[in-house]
Amino acid sequence: GQQLNQSPQSMFIQEGEDVSMNCTSSSIFNTWLWYKQDPGEGPVLLIALYKAGELTSNGRLTAQFGITRKDSFLNISASIPSDVGIYFCAGQSPDTGNQFYFGTGTSLTVIP
Amino acid sequence: DSGVTQTPKHLITATGQRVTLRCSPRSGDLSVYWYQQSLDQGLQFLIQYYNGEERAKGNILERFSAQQFPDLHSELNLSSLELGDSALYFCASSVPLGAGANVLTFGAGSRLTVL
């Protein structure tokens, strides 16, 4: 099956710092999605990427679809306490009928 | 509100019992996905339906089954429950945006506790 490696597993940062996390896959994807999940809630879509090389921003968040189509990163600039949560990447594989695969998540803690 | 509705939000039951979780997808979405998330774990894909038909199966146990009805709502049936089935169960829906590109929209989840 598809393998999605997400790193880092957890991050502890000071408020105001920038954050970077990434996902790599064992095969190409045609869609990359980034989600944020608050405790006990469902994941909420942050950014969707559909083309290799695409760079998309959503406020303080920026994500890129890697040129190789096997990776993606998410950056958060000037972190604030409400950025706390678990961030998941998800990719859609054309090799398996466009099924979605999720990374294992990055737990972000922002220290005020 | 994501537009994906899941009920019940919380459910407590005993081992050996059977429960049904319900999902109403976002208006216009034809696909429904079910995911299981155990404590501090990632999202495990269980099963997908598209317009009433099973489209893909993930790590779904034989004790679990699902279906999607003509009105596109879906139910996930969990039987012979075990302690390890305690988890958050999420439903997500999607509609193709073109060229196979999709966005998954998640519900708020159903938290199942098996005692």
Side-chain angles (χ1 to χ4, degrees), chain B residues 71-86:
Chain B
D71 67 352
L72 300 178
H73 91 271
S74 178
E75 293 180 356
L76 178 67
N77 301 298
L78 314 175
S79 62
S80 303
L81 286 169
E82 302 174 358
L83 296 177
D85 297 328
S86 295

Side-chain angles (χ1 to χ4, degrees), chain B:
Chain B
D1 183 2
S2 68
V4 179
T5 304
Q6 288 189 249
T7 57
K9 191 162 178 62
H10 300 278
L11 191 55
I12 301 174
T13 189
T15 55
Q17 295 298 305
R18 172 191 169 93
V19 299
T20 297
L21 309 180
R22 182 188 168 103
C23 170
S24 293
R26 198 176 55 164
S27 177
D29 284 359
L30 299 176
S31 269
V32 169
Y33 302 72
W34 286 97
Y35 288 86
Q36 179 192 56
Q37 187 178 40
S38 300
L39 187 63
D40 296 332
Q41 297 294 314
L43 293 156
Q44 296 297 318
F45 169 63
L46 297 178
I47 198 164
Q48 179 204 357
Y49 281 83
Y50 178 83
N51 204 19
E53 300 288 327
E54 183 182 304
R55 175 63 66 90
K57 249 182 180 177
N59 300 320
I60 188 166
L61 300 172
E62 285 191 11
R63 300 183 286 109
F64 296 0
S65 65
Q67 55 184 327
Q68 186 179 28
F69 295 87
D71 67 352
L72 300 178
H73 91 271
S74 178
E75 293 180 356
L76 178 67
N77 301 298
L78 314 175
S79 62
S80 303
L81 286 169
E82 302 174 358
L83 296 177
D85 297 328
S86 295
L88 270 168
Y89 291 85
F90 288 106
C91 168
S93 71
S94 75
V95 62
L97 297 178
N102 279 273
V103 172
L104 282 179
T105 302
F106 283 85
S110 292
R111 179 176 292 281
L112 173 65
T113 302
V114 182
L115 300 176

